[in-house]
Amino acid sequence: MTRKSPRTASATQVSKSTAGRADKDQPLIDDIRFLGRILGDVIREQEGQAAYDLIEQIRQLSVAFRRHADESADKALKKLLKGLSGNRAVSVIRAFTYFSHLANLAEDRHHIRRRAVHERAGDTQEGSLARTLQRLHKAGIAPAEVVRTLASAHISPVLTAHPTEVQRKSILDAERAIARLLGERDAQECLPRERADIEAQIRARVTQLWQTRLLRFTKLTVADEIENALSYYEATFLTQIPRLYRELEEGLGDAHQSASIAPFLRMGQWIGGDRDGNPNVTAQTLELALHSQADMVLRHHLTQLHHLGAELSVSAMLTPVSPAMQALAARSPDTNAHRQDEPYRRALTGMYARLAATLKRLTGGEAARHAVAPQDAYTRAAELLDDLRTIEASLKSHHGEALARARLQPLMRAVQVFGFHLATVDLRQSSDKHEEVVAELLAAARIEANYSALDESGKRTVLLRQLNDARPLRVPGVDYSAHTQGELAIFDAARSGRERFGAQAIRHAIISHTETVSDLLEVLLLQKEAGLMRGTLADDARCDLIVVPLFETIEDLRNAAPIMRDYLDLPGVRDMVQRGAADGYSEQDIMLGYSDSNKDGGIFTSNWELYRAEIALVELFDALNKGSAAPIQLRMFHGRGGTVGRGGGPSFQAILAQPPGTVRGQIRLTEQGEVIGSKYANPEIGRRNLETLVAATLEATLLKPTRNAPASFLAAADEISRQSMAAYRALVYDTPRFADYFFAATPIREIAELNIGSRPASRKATQKIEDLRAIPWGFSWGQCRLTLPGWYGFGSAVHAFLHRDGPKGLAAQKALLQKMVKQWPFFSTLLSNMDMVLAKSDLALASRYAELVPDKRLRKQVFTAIEAEWQRTADALALITGEKQRLVNNAALQRSIRHRFPYIDPLHHLQVELVRRYRAGENEADRDERVRRGIHISINGIAAGLRNTG
């Protein structure tokens, strides 16, 4: 049998499927064809028949190239693309980009459809709360124990702004409308007349998309990013999180009645507070983020109060109310005679007036309606919640529980979870930037002339002395640098923000590139300067913000536990955390960086060192807490990105594969890039993704699915890690001029120009791989379809491991790896993610990008090495798992690739052609703006099509 070329193997391997799957997928195929037909009609109408025919010709040639490795199609496609004018190229790229967007909507609709089919059949799905609660019941875990676990749990997805989210809000809004209309069209009771009207509305929205600019003219600002993120709260989180709590309450039956389920699921946000590498984030943007978030959540609460007033038209002449309810109505300034017998309405009018006054006090905004003038503002969200509970108790005690269910109870849950602040904004800054501020403060105060020159011991001594001195360091009248003034202003804004919007508004100060204990102490000192830390370490210190180290590189991960041990062993530090207030520094978050560790050491080593670091940290905190009356809660914060190379992949499996004892009801994780849109733009999909996080956390905590791995597994992983890192670094860091290859064979330079984020793509103005941010690094490899950070090095490592003891040891080593993939969630999940990445890669397309490298010798050297490692990795996966084809256990992604990739391929071909033209321009004047726009739109379309590229 002839061996397939690796250039076409991945596409062939995922193209096979069963007839049964085809039947289930027919509605998806119908939706894709329906949306494609509408898009085609719009293109014919707007651009003409010739444009439509050209697009169809390009699609057919691209499909022939993909499915049959047709060399004649390849030549014809290249010739056709080279002959396109700039305007025509942009038109074609827009067509395939919008098709990718519409295919996403059809897939989301099909996911919801299939979920409904399973639920109607009583078949619970993996990752659902129903399935998890069944497992807990089968394991003998009572609902009351689940409620107790949730009382101390903390689950928090954290939205971040990074330079890979390329969607404009105008586009998102139009696509949300199409998604909603697809759902309405899917309804079984939809009449032909209604269906025709829905389809006309969809056509209108597709026309809107075609006539709407895909790209921004100007670079995205932090204010834009804040607005973009808030759209997901409006569309999904504010309504779907209360629904998720209700599903959990219903699943637990009566267990939660005596003790309401605690608000364990809360949202986090970096946008407006993440300063690491982004000079555009300031105290002003932090204040804007807090202000904007409060404005959105308060207006949501006001709207719900207004609707409640319309619904609770209960007359006291017909139904009595509780004394507390009567008192609440009596306190209302509403004296309207028409409502004198309607205590609920009178009370809600008064509550609306109080909340409108709160809006005015916190944001300066005006409420949409005023039955009575705003007055007597609520000072805390808990006061509003108490009033809502009074209404609920009265309804329940007078046969009105049905009235409480639809709107009142979801509002109560929203007030509990979102308060008046909406989401917790994290502060983040690089450790070296903190050090610059501390050094300047110490020098200006004549305490230490050159703090940065001190060794680690000297720094600790100076910092501890200052943390035990109640006096501030700031000297009045000193003209501090702009950097120092800006950093101090951030901490000052954090203090005032907590006072204004509540302690939950800001809880964490994250330190990027944490390498030493002094990095943590410096942030304590900066908090002390801003009044966020009170008292002295030696006496009664209390701190407001949790000091969160972020361990990013391989070396940093290896040092994580020793650094935390030394930090907590310092005089007064552990006592300070133990005496901390519940909404202050009373627990310890530790953030683990997936992106930089991957760029540093490759996929396997990154995951292995993360695994080892988590185990070491759990062992450390277990030892510290042993016998303690006030144990310190450890919480892992996973800095996951969209791509597998940045920690992406299915969240359910990722959480269950965490080392033993590392979850315990506590997890924070970042949501980044296109993943935010794919997970949360659709409300139903969004709720299901949140449900998955909760289900996985419950299973990891209560069922303890992972056990300590056998020594043989750990030793094998350690050896594979060493070999994998060596192979990865040999290519990326040791190959002469590899950076030249990367900057030529990927659209990284064009990505850096794209107005997709407020943050620069590189830390320094160099072309060193070390200085490039991990996010555009991974994004670029995804654009050229090599997805290198998600697999490179593993094939060589497995080959070396198998042949370590020569031919005689081959069978034993192979058997050990096969045992590991069956019995060790860490290993099986990692291999499953690599399988997904290889399935999305395409060496044939990647070879097109390689042609952009002007140095033929360099091109051949690097691409040949990548191609060989791809084959070794594919062979290794087949050997270990026994599966020759990609995605055997991932039917959903198989389906996605089958229907989607033939339409993404033309975007790659066009992107390569336009990048070639753009780079051929001798100077800026020679670079056609239409060509630049076409490249940028293709980046958008490919990112949308691949979905997890950020």
Side-chain angles (χ1 to χ4, degrees), residues 812-937:
Q813 302 292 72
K814 175 182 172 182
L816 175 59
L817 293 176
Q818 290 175 337
K819 187 177 180 182
M820 287 165 64
V821 83
K822 290 176 183 174
Q823 299 181 10
W824 194 13
F826 162 77
F827 196 64
S828 61
T829 300
L830 179 53
L831 265 61
S832 174
N833 284 336
M834 284 191 208
D835 177 51
M836 177 180 73
V837 170
L838 282 188
K840 288 191 170 186
S841 68
D842 190 305
L843 290 177
L845 288 172
S847 69
R848 279 291 184 86
Y849 286 86
E851 292 171 7
L852 294 169
V853 180
D855 187 326
K856 293 182 180 179
R857 181 176 295 179
L858 176 65
R859 177 202 311 166
K860 183 177 180 181
Q861 176 193 3
V862 174
F863 191 78
T864 300
I866 291 172
E867 196 172 32
E869 184 63 18
W870 187 100
Q871 188 62 60
R872 280 190 290 268
T873 301
D875 291 344
L877 287 174
L879 180 84
I880 297 169
T881 65
E883 304 290 356
K884 301 295 184 186
Q885 298 178 16
R886 300 274 72 81
L887 302 176
V888 169
N889 298 311
N890 193 339
L893 187 53
Q894 250 192 12
R895 176 182 68 218
S896 177
I897 286 176
R898 187 166 63 251
H899 295 300
R900 176 192 304 274
F901 280 21
Y903 299 91
I904 302 175
D905 290 358
L907 290 170
H908 289 288
H909 294 295
L910 283 157
Q911 186 181 89
V912 170
E913 171 59 27
L914 294 188
V915 166
R916 181 184 287 110
R917 290 187 201 179
Y918 185 66
R919 292 178 182 175
E922 291 297 322
N923 53 55
E924 195 65 31
D926 295 335
R927 295 180 175 182
D928 190 331
E929 178 56 34
R930 293 168 300 179
V931 172
R932 187 204 303 256
R933 191 162 73 249
I935 294 169
H936 290 180
I937 295 171

Side-chain angles (χ1 to χ4, degrees), residues 31-40 102 105-106 178 182 202:
D31 277 353
I32 289 176
R33 286 175 178 167
F34 164 68
L35 292 170
R37 187 176 70 251
I38 287 181
L39 179 61
L102 294 173
L105 301 180
I178 294 172
L182 282 175
I202 292 174

Side-chain angles (χ1 to χ4, degrees), residues 524-542:
L524 285 180
L525 188 57
L526 292 175
Q527 289 200 59
K528 173 174 169 278
E529 283 301 300
L532 289 163
M533 177 181 167
R534 296 161 298 283
T536 62
L537 274 185
D539 190 5
D540 57 350
R542 290 175 183 266

Side-chain angles (χ1 to χ4, degrees), residues 283-511:
Q284 287 71 40
T285 62
L286 177 61
E287 290 165 353
L288 176 64
L290 295 172
H291 179 284
S292 301
Q293 291 180 188
D295 186 78
M296 169 162 282
V297 74
L298 287 169
R299 291 186 187 280
H300 170 80
H301 296 339
L302 283 164
T303 299
Q304 296 307 306
L305 284 178
H306 172 72
H307 290 315
L308 267 177
E311 293 169 5
L312 296 184
S313 55
V314 178
S315 171
M317 296 170 63
L318 300 172
T319 305
V321 298
S322 68
M325 182 64 232
Q326 191 61 53
L328 181 62
R331 290 197 298 272
S332 171
D334 183 9
T335 58
N336 190 305
H338 295 296
R339 292 190 285 271
Q340 63 181 353
D341 70 324
E342 298 173 341
Y344 293 108
R345 279 185 164 171
R346 283 176 28 235
L348 286 162
T349 300
M351 292 162 64
Y352 189 99
R354 294 192 69 186
L355 197 58
T358 306
L359 176 69
K360 183 75 173 177
R361 179 176 65 85
L362 292 181
T363 72
E366 291 288 342
R369 310 165 184 87
H370 292 303
V372 295
Q375 56 195 282
D376 189 21
Y378 288 109
T379 58
R380 297 178 299 116
E383 296 173 0
L384 172 60
L385 185 60
D386 286 343
D387 286 351
L388 293 169
R389 283 174 171 154
T390 297
I391 295 174
E392 182 194 39
S394 180
L395 288 171
K396 282 184 173 181
S397 61
H398 295 93
H399 311 294
E401 189 162 0
L403 293 171
R405 176 182 166 81
R407 193 179 303 276
L408 174 61
Q409 289 172 348
L411 174 58
M412 291 170 63
R413 185 59 78 177
V415 172
Q416 256 193 326
V417 171
F418 301 107
F420 293 165
H421 66 285
L422 187 68
T424 298
V425 178
D426 293 353
L427 306 185
R428 185 171 79 128
Q429 180 58 289
S430 182
S431 58
D432 60 317
K433 299 300 181 183
H434 290 144
E435 182 179 306
E436 288 177 25
V437 177
V438 169
E440 186 172 350
L441 288 172
L442 290 168
R446 308 292 177 88
I447 292 170
E448 179 57 55
N450 196 352
Y451 168 79
S452 295
L454 298 176
D455 61 15
E456 173 62 13
S457 176
K459 287 179 180 177
R460 290 190 202 178
T461 299
V462 171
L463 293 168
L464 287 171
R465 190 184 309 128
Q466 295 309 308
L467 290 167
N468 281 310
D469 187 335
R471 294 169 296 181
L473 277 173
R474 277 189 263 196
V475 178
V478 171
D479 185 19
Y480 292 105
S481 68
H483 171 66
T484 292
Q485 290 183 48
E487 288 299 307
L488 292 173
I490 283 277
F491 285 95
D492 290 338
R495 185 199 68 250
S496 62
R498 282 171 60 91
E499 291 169 354
R500 188 174 182 84
F501 300 102
Q504 289 293 327
I506 304 177
R507 291 207 61 211
H508 308 88
I510 301 168
I511 310 162

Side-chain angles (χ1 to χ4, degrees), residues 500-808:
R500 188 174 182 84
F501 300 102
Q504 289 293 327
I506 304 177
R507 291 207 61 211
H508 308 88
I510 301 168
I511 310 162
S512 299
H513 311 112
T514 300
E515 297 173 348
T516 60
V517 171
S518 61
D519 292 337
L520 284 80
L521 295 177
E522 286 164 3
V523 174
L524 285 180
L525 188 57
L526 292 175
Q527 289 200 59
K528 173 174 169 278
E529 283 301 300
L532 289 163
M533 177 181 167
R534 296 161 298 283
T536 62
L537 274 185
D539 190 5
D540 57 350
R542 290 175 183 266
C543 195
D544 289 341
L545 303 185
I546 302 171
V547 176
V548 184
L550 168 49
F551 299 109
E552 299 179 82
T553 66
I554 300 299
E555 184 179 359
D556 294 344
L557 289 168
R558 290 170 178 169
N559 291 330
I563 287 173
M564 293 309 300
R565 181 191 61 233
D566 292 350
Y567 171 65
L568 291 168
D569 279 348
L570 290 173
V573 172
R574 199 182 316 174
D575 291 339
M576 177 190 68
V577 178
Q578 288 174 325
R579 76 168 70 92
D583 51 10
Y585 191 178
S586 57
E587 49 201 350
Q588 185 62 61
D589 288 59
I590 295 176
M591 188 169 181
L592 304 171
Y594 288 67
S595 308
D596 283 280
S597 59
N598 178 284
K599 189 164 76 76
D600 191 21
I603 181 70
F604 193 92
T605 299
S606 168
N607 279 267
W608 176 235
E609 293 298 343
L610 285 159
Y611 186 91
R612 292 179 63 192
E614 288 188 69
I615 289 176
L617 287 165
V618 166
E619 290 175 348
L620 168 66
F621 276 77
D622 283 350
L624 290 174
N625 289 331
K626 192 173 183 180
S628 172
I632 297 174
Q633 175 70 64
L634 169 65
R635 181 183 304 117
M636 302 295 184
F637 184 6
H638 299 270
R640 291 159 47 96
T643 57
V644 167
R646 300 191 50 240
S651 298
F652 185 76
Q653 286 80 3
I655 293 173
L656 291 184
Q658 293 299 304
T662 57
V663 178
R664 296 178 183 171
Q666 308 290 317
I667 192 166
R668 295 185 94 213
L669 69 167
T670 54
E671 300 281 26
Q672 302 177 0
E674 283 65 49
V675 169
I676 295 176
S678 65
K679 280 187 173 182
Y680 301 119
N682 182 295
E684 178 80 7
I685 298 286
R687 188 173 80 257
R688 296 309 183 191
N689 278 298
L690 293 167
E691 180 182 348
T692 291
L693 293 180
V694 175
T697 304
L698 282 173
E699 289 198 25
T701 302
L702 294 169
L703 295 179
K704 300 178 177 64
T706 55
R707 302 286 181 268
N708 291 324
S712 59
F713 288 11
L714 299 175
D718 205 48
E719 185 172 342
I720 291 171
S721 173
R722 284 197 303 274
Q723 296 285 355
S724 179
M725 183 170 176
Y728 172 83
R729 290 192 67 87
L731 175 76
V732 174
Y733 293 102
D734 299 337
T735 299
R737 299 184 61 214
F738 177 81
D740 293 342
Y741 176 92
F742 170 70
F743 275 86
T746 75
I748 177 64
R749 285 184 278 178
E750 290 72 25
I751 287 169
E753 294 179 9
L754 185 53
N755 297 316
I756 54 179
S758 67
R759 195 174 176 206
S762 198
R763 289 188 172 91
K764 300 176 184 176
T766 73
Q767 285 201 0
K768 285 186 175 181
I769 301 298
E770 293 89 338
D771 295 329
L772 189 70
R773 293 193 178 283
I775 298 151
W777 163 258
F779 190 65
S780 300
W781 287 117
Q783 286 282 311
C784 74
R785 292 294 287 281
L786 272 176
T787 60
L788 182 141
W791 55 269
Y792 198 93
F794 182 69
S796 290
V798 169
H799 183 270
F801 181 78
L802 288 170
H803 296 88
R804 183 185 63 183
D805 300 326
K808 61 177 181 174

Side-chain angles (χ1 to χ4, degrees), residues 158-165 220-222 225-226 229 269-272 274 278 428 671-673 676 756-759 775:
V158 181
L159 304 191
T160 72
H162 278 296
T164 63
E165 174 51 70
L220 197 66
T221 67
V222 178
E225 289 173 334
I226 292 168
Q269 194 101 320
W270 274 12
I271 306 164
D274 179 13
N278 192 345
R428 185 171 79 128
E671 300 281 26
Q672 302 177 0
I676 295 176
I756 54 179
S758 67
R759 195 174 176 206
I775 298 151

